[in-house]
């Protein structure tokens, strides 16, 4: 049994499919972050899921999916400012990594409208 | 040729009878071909396995599913092939997790009443072995026998 079950939690969805659980988190959170399966929370729980795995923040509460082989997927909510801060830091680190590898920068460049030769000539 | 290579068999919920039969069969078959085999599952699934094979004749190594996932994520262990047994959405979700965390060649072994629709929902990299089998293991066994490793 994971330590998650020993914490004070709220259940918002029970014994549902992973897709429905993800939809719930996406629709009912103030902030939504996406993590890879295996993302670690609360000391010893490694998130199980089909990527992209949504995790939500609603006030002081973190919403996440909890999967049990014989019972399906649950949406749990646990108050944890520490885990929420870690989630935000993780997102920042992902953006930095993406910028370094040219991911977002390349995307941003490609979004810029192409400059026409006529405009350049006029200038 | 398979000497020293590692195979992982991941059991889903043990409520469908063909699973245990096929896990024991496949573990034994891989072992005979020289693979090092670990079978992982929930506490209930591992207990069922150990009760059926009390002297570990067919399966020598078992592991708790959550501990195994922690070990793979923390890079303490990994495998060359992984067979993820599944008959439900939760099993399919575990398969997706292994697809993401492990470098193993992944086989999704899909069975049970809704095998076909469940197999269609798998959109992560995995080779699918699908049979609508619940009580009779032979349709699944025939497909497993065709897998070339």
């Amino acid at each position: 049994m994971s330590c998650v079950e020993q914490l004070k939690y709220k259940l918002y969805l029970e014994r549902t499919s992973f897709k429905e659980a993800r939809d719930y988190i996406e629709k009912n959170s103030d902030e939504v972050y996406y993590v890879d399966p295996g993302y670690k929370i609360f000391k010893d729980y490694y998130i199980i899921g089909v990527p992209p795995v949504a995790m939500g923040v609603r006030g002081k509460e973190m919403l996440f999916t909890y999967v049990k082989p014989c019972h399906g997927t649950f949406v749990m909510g646990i108050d944890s400012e520490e885990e929420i801060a870690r989630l935000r830091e993780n997102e920042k680190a992902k953006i930095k990594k993406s910028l370094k590898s040219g991911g977002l920068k390349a995307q941003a460049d490609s979004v810029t409208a192409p400059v026409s030769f006529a405009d350049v000539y006029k200038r | 040729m398979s000497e020293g290579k590692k195979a992982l068999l991941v059991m889903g919920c043990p409520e469908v009878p063909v699973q245990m039969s096929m896990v024991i069969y496949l573990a034994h078959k891989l072992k005979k071909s020289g693979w090092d085999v670990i079978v992982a599952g929930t506490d209930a699934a591992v207990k069922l396995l150990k009760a059926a094979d009390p002297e570990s004749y067919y399966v020598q190594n078992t592991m708790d599913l959550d501990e195994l996932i922690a070990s793979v994520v923390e890079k303490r262990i990994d495998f060359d092939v992984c067979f993820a047994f599944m008959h439900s959405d939760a099993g399919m979700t575990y398969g997706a997790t292994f697809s993401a965390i492990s470098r193993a060649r992944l086989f999704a072994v899909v069975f049970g009443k809704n095998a076909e629709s469940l197999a269609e929902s798998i959109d992560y990299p995995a080779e699918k072995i699908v049979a609508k089998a619940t009580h009779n293991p032979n349709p699944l066994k025939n497909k497993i026998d065709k897998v070339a490793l």
Side-chain angles (χ1 to χ4, degrees):
Chain A
M1 187 200 290
S2 160
C3 73
V4 165
E5 291 182 45
Q6 328 255 338
L7 298 169
K8 196 178 166 191
Y9 61 81
K10 284 181 189 161
L11 285 180
Y12 294 104
L13 279 184
E14 293 179 52
R15 297 168 192 265
T16 186
S17 69
F18 187 80
K19 189 177 178 299
E20 279 174 27
R22 175 167 52 206
D23 288 348
Y24 179 91
I25 290 174
E26 286 173 340
K27 286 174 188 160
N28 294 279
S29 304
D30 303 328
E31 298 165 43
V32 180
Y33 298 96
Y34 294 95
V35 298
D36 294 325
Y39 179 78
K40 190 179 176 182
I41 54 170
F42 300 114
K43 288 181 190 170
D44 75 346
Y45 182 62
Y46 295 83
I47 291 280
I48 305 298
V50 182
V53 182
M55 297 189 64
V57 174
R58 189 165 61 186
K60 288 180 180 176
E61 192 178 34
M62 183 172 76
L63 301 182
F64 61 97
T65 48
Y66 187 69
V67 185
K68 297 190 84 173
C70 296
H71 304 288
T73 303
F74 298 73
V75 174
M76 274 185 165
I78 295 182
D79 286 353
S80 173
E81 288 180 5
E82 196 182 318
E83 285 297 333
I84 290 170
R86 215 163 61 78
L87 204 53
R88 288 175 180 149
E89 278 305 308
N90 181 60
E91 189 67 17
K92 273 186 205 167
K94 273 201 304 195
I95 292 169
K96 267 186 198 168
K97 197 179 166 189
S98 177
L99 279 170
K100 269 185 190 171
S101 63
L104 285 180
K105 190 175 181 295
Q107 277 175 29
D109 288 348
S110 68
V111 167
T112 311
V115 179
S116 84
F117 178 75
D119 291 344
V120 174
Y121 187 75
K122 270 183 210 165
R123 273 183 227 152
Chain B
M1 202 170 144
S2 308
E3 214 67 33
K5 287 197 171 178
K6 288 182 188 166
L8 170 68
L9 275 59
V10 180
M11 297 187 283
C13 174
E15 71 181 341
V16 179
V18 292
Q19 175 175 268
M20 195 52 67
S21 171
M22 281 301 96
V23 164
I24 293 173
Y25 172 77
L26 180 57
H28 187 58
K29 188 178 168 166
L30 289 168
K31 175 77 181 162
K32 273 179 38 182
S33 304
W35 290 81
D36 291 333
V37 182
I38 290 185
V39 179
T42 58
D43 190 40
V46 171
K47 273 183 189 161
L48 280 163
L49 180 65
K50 287 188 172 173
D53 183 24
E55 294 184 15
S56 304
Y57 180 78
Y58 296 104
V59 177
Q60 288 73 37
N61 303 302
T62 58
M63 220 170 155
D64 174 75
L65 190 53
D66 291 335
E67 278 175 32
L68 176 87
I69 287 170
S71 297
V72 175
V73 173
E74 302 294 342
K75 303 199 183 306
R76 292 192 293 267
I77 192 170
D78 206 351
F79 300 87
D80 297 288
V81 293
C82 171
F83 291 85
F85 286 74
M86 57 189 77
H87 64 85
S88 64
D89 184 79
M92 187 277 288
T93 306
Y94 270 86
T97 304
F98 278 99
S99 169
I101 64 174
S102 169
R103 63 173 177 82
R105 179 181 171 192
L106 178 66
F107 291 90
V109 186
V110 192
F111 55 95
K113 281 183 213 163
N114 306 314
E116 282 145 14
S117 59
L118 185 63
E120 277 173 24
S121 72
I122 297 172
D123 58 2
Y124 48 85
E127 293 168 61
K128 300 175 193 177
I129 303 168
V130 188
K132 205 174 172 181
T134 49
H135 296 100
N136 176 8
N138 289 333
L140 194 58
K141 179 176 170 288
N142 293 339
K143 293 201 173 170
I144 286 174
D145 283 341
K146 285 179 188 158
V147 172
L149 294 175

